[in-house]
Amino acid sequence: MEKQRLIYHIDVNSAFLNWENKRRHEIDPDAPDLLAIPAAVGGDSAKRRGIILAKSPVARAMGVTTGEPIAAALRKCPTLTLFPPDFKVYTANSAALMELLSSYSPALQQFSIDEAFLDMTKTIHLFGKPIATAQELRKRIKRELGFTVNIGISTNKLLAKMASDFRKPNLCHTLFPEEIPQKMWPLPVGELFLVGRSAKARLSLLGIRTIGELAHIDKALLCSHLGSKYGTTIHNYANGIDDSPVETEEPENKGIGNSTTLAQDITEFDAACQILLLLSESVGARLRRAGHKCSCLTVECRDNDFRNFSHQMTLNAPTNTTSQLYDNATHLLKELWNGAPLRLLGLRATKLDEPAYTQLSLFEDPGSKKLEKLDSAVDAIRDRFGAGAIKRASILSADMPAEKKTKKKPAP
DNA sequence: TGTTGAATCCCAC
DNA sequence: CTAACGGTGGGATTCAACA
């Protein structure tokens, strides 16, 4: 008989917005609480990165969803206040959170930039009762780190994660096995971890709309429609079954990639190659910093109809140099591209070898010079291809609220 | 018969 | 009002080539 575990799932409420909120309150303690008003973090529409990355619970209540175009969000919620993303801020806050969490248990698994699992089984006795301890942790994060979290409490990761998704923000919830019928089974099946758009549609054909209905369907029937591996997984999940351990070791990277939506569609091969050069530089730099070489390279394209194409090749010899990445990438693009206007270009390096033991950073700073070079190259491309977009952006900015980025552009 | 590679799809955040 | 739609990464599936 296995011992019952105690698992917490910690989830930063509307993480990017919450961290933006913290930043603003450090500057002005009287600033409004961004989680209490219609607010969101989103990309730059002028650069065609205009989607919602995080939204306040208030915005959510007005129908705003993560991933939707900003324009659509504004139609639902005209008073929505938008903020640009700042990943340096997010990384720093994430690190501070993980540091604090690690003082509660060594069994800590960072699941994403804003989520973590804590296995409290062996350490809860140092703190107190499970629910009271989670409440104290929640308050401590708010007091010491300046942002709010939800904490889900249960006996495995799946149930803890489902629990942390209950009412937000700044709350702790339990979802112990005996609470499953009341708290989890009535939920729409799409809210179950790993049930996305496609699975939801196929389950709908089987008449399954809630997690409870999924929990009770014959497993063999389910597997015959969704495959035995996936079918078994979500059937177990719907019944609250998950034996996976909290993984302390961080998994080794399987690949390193970089992709970018272009401010303007590209139609010229040479222009596409210049983007590939930038991507090669950044992927190469990350490979070198990690001490990896790759044996497989993939070029990914998205055309202006949002169709995706990719081409990959196994390399003759493992590499991490910009020039070899670039040479192979251009070759792949030549085979792949039919000339349709490109909205996105991406480059991904996979089949990574074992990291070399010599770390570049001991001998040189791999960052500064190359990043400077990359930055200047990015600027050059932007100047070269962004002219139309910049003109459009400046027109747009005329009837937009303040704090628009001012772009300086040398005379053509 | 089984593995590997390539292209696509799916999912989470 | 299904578009004004990101970037990163892991995994599954399908098919062809190959052993």
Side-chain angles (χ1 to χ4, degrees):
Chain A
M1 181 72 184
E2 293 291 326
K3 192 184 171 206
Q4 182 105 307
R5 294 183 293 161
L6 175 64
I7 308 294
Y8 288 176
H9 178 254
I10 298 90
D11 190 338
V12 181
N13 306 128
S14 312
F16 295 175
L17 187 68
N18 209 327
W19 290 331
E20 174 68 23
N21 192 46
K22 170 189 173 183
R23 196 179 66 80
R24 292 165 59 86
H25 277 256
E26 285 169 353
I27 298 167
D28 173 12
D30 296 326
D33 178 3
L34 299 186
L35 267 64
I37 65 172
V41 172
D44 185 345
S45 291
K47 292 178 186 165
R48 308 198 299 183
R49 292 159 159 78
I51 63 163
I52 301 292
L53 299 168
K55 79 281 180 194
S56 67
V58 183
R60 186 195 182 289
M62 298 177 73
V64 176
T65 59
T66 299
E68 80 175 331
I70 285 170
L74 285 172
R75 268 181 249 125
K76 296 174 184 170
C77 182
T79 59
L80 190 68
T81 308
L82 282 163
F83 300 91
D86 184 344
F87 281 88
K88 279 206 174 74
V89 168
Y90 308 155
T91 304
N93 278 290
S94 177
L97 174 62
M98 300 306 156
E99 172 72 19
L100 177 55
L101 295 182
S102 70
S103 69
Y104 282 74
S105 168
L108 168 67
Q109 177 182 3
Q110 179 166 2
F111 185 71
S112 72
I113 194 167
D114 74 322
E115 290 181 33
F117 294 100
L118 266 181
D119 187 335
M120 296 294 292
T121 309
K122 294 176 179 165
T123 55
I124 186 63
H125 71 277
L126 299 171
F127 298 95
K129 296 175 181 174
I131 297 173
T133 301
Q135 294 286 13
E136 286 157 17
L137 171 56
R138 175 183 61 77
K139 291 177 198 164
R140 207 179 145 197
I141 291 168
K142 171 68 173 159
R143 182 177 358 107
E144 296 181 16
L145 302 182
F147 52 85
T148 61
V149 300
N150 265 31
I151 300 177
I153 307 161
S154 190
T155 56
N156 65 43
K157 291 201 290 183
L158 183 276
L159 291 174
K161 182 161 169 57
M162 295 300 292
S164 70
D165 208 32
F166 294 162
R167 194 159 67 88
K168 303 165 185 173
N170 201 20
L171 292 168
C172 296
H173 300 283
T174 61
L175 180 53
F176 291 116
E178 62 270 22
E179 300 178 287
I180 289 172
Q182 278 280 346
K183 292 188 174 181
M184 189 169 83
W185 282 351
L187 298 176
V189 73
E191 293 191 20
L192 188 65
F193 185 65
L194 285 189
V195 176
R197 198 161 53 107
S198 171
K200 190 181 162 188
R202 291 159 76 183
L203 290 169
S204 173
L205 295 176
L206 296 176
I208 296 172
R209 294 189 62 255
T210 67
I211 296 176
E213 288 164 355
L214 176 60
H216 291 109
I217 194 179
D218 179 73
K219 192 188 270 190
L221 174 65
L222 180 70
C223 289
S224 73
H225 285 82
L226 296 179
S228 81
K229 187 176 174 70
Y230 180 67
T232 299
T233 298
I234 62 172
H235 194 264
N236 283 339
Y237 281 1
N239 284 283
I241 298 167
D242 172 25
D243 294 331
S244 67
V246 172
E247 300 277 4
T248 306
E249 298 297 315
E250 62 185 275
E252 56 189 78
N253 260 353
K254 301 283 174 68
I256 293 177
N258 192 193
S259 66
T260 184
T261 293
L262 306 156
Q264 195 174 58
D265 286 349
I266 278 182
T267 55
E268 303 288 320
F269 182 75
D270 287 351
C273 285
Q274 288 185 259
I275 301 298
L276 284 183
L277 177 57
L278 302 181
L279 297 173
S280 301
E281 181 61 58
S282 94
V283 169
R286 288 165 63 194
L287 283 170
R288 294 190 292 272
R289 199 177 311 205
H292 280 302
K293 291 183 177 181
C294 68
S295 302
C296 186
L297 196 63
T298 305
V299 168
E300 183 195 0
C301 297
R302 174 176 300 158
D303 70 17
N304 56 0
D305 285 332
F306 277 83
R307 285 180 299 229
N308 297 320
F309 310 95
S310 69
H311 231 144
Q312 74 182 56
M313 70 189 292
T314 300
L315 304 178
N316 296 325
T319 187
N320 58 17
T321 69
T322 298
S323 70
Q324 289 186 23
L325 294 172
Y326 175 69
D327 288 346
N328 288 300
T330 55
H331 187 256
L332 284 167
L333 180 68
K334 202 175 297 179
E335 293 183 337
L336 171 62
W337 189 24
N338 64 5
L342 291 183
R343 180 188 176 90
L344 172 144
L345 268 169
L347 185 66
R348 182 166 174 80
T350 52
K351 283 191 192 154
L352 307 184
D353 62 3
E354 291 304 308
Y357 15 161
T358 318
Q359 284 296 321
L360 269 178
S361 56
L362 290 177
F363 302 99
E364 57 166 322
D365 173 7
S368 56
K369 280 207 169 140
K370 285 169 182 164
L371 287 178
E372 282 172 21
K373 201 171 149 193
L374 176 62
D375 284 348
S376 63
V378 169
D379 291 342
I381 295 296
R382 214 171 266 142
D383 284 345
R384 187 152 177 166
F385 298 103
I390 286 168
K391 195 186 283 178
R392 275 201 318 220
S394 59
I395 291 167
L396 280 177
S397 68
D399 52 5
M400 283 189 72
E403 59 126 293
K404 187 87 196 155
K405 264 187 213 158
T406 54
K407 287 185 178 134
K408 63 171 187 200
K409 179 171 178 289

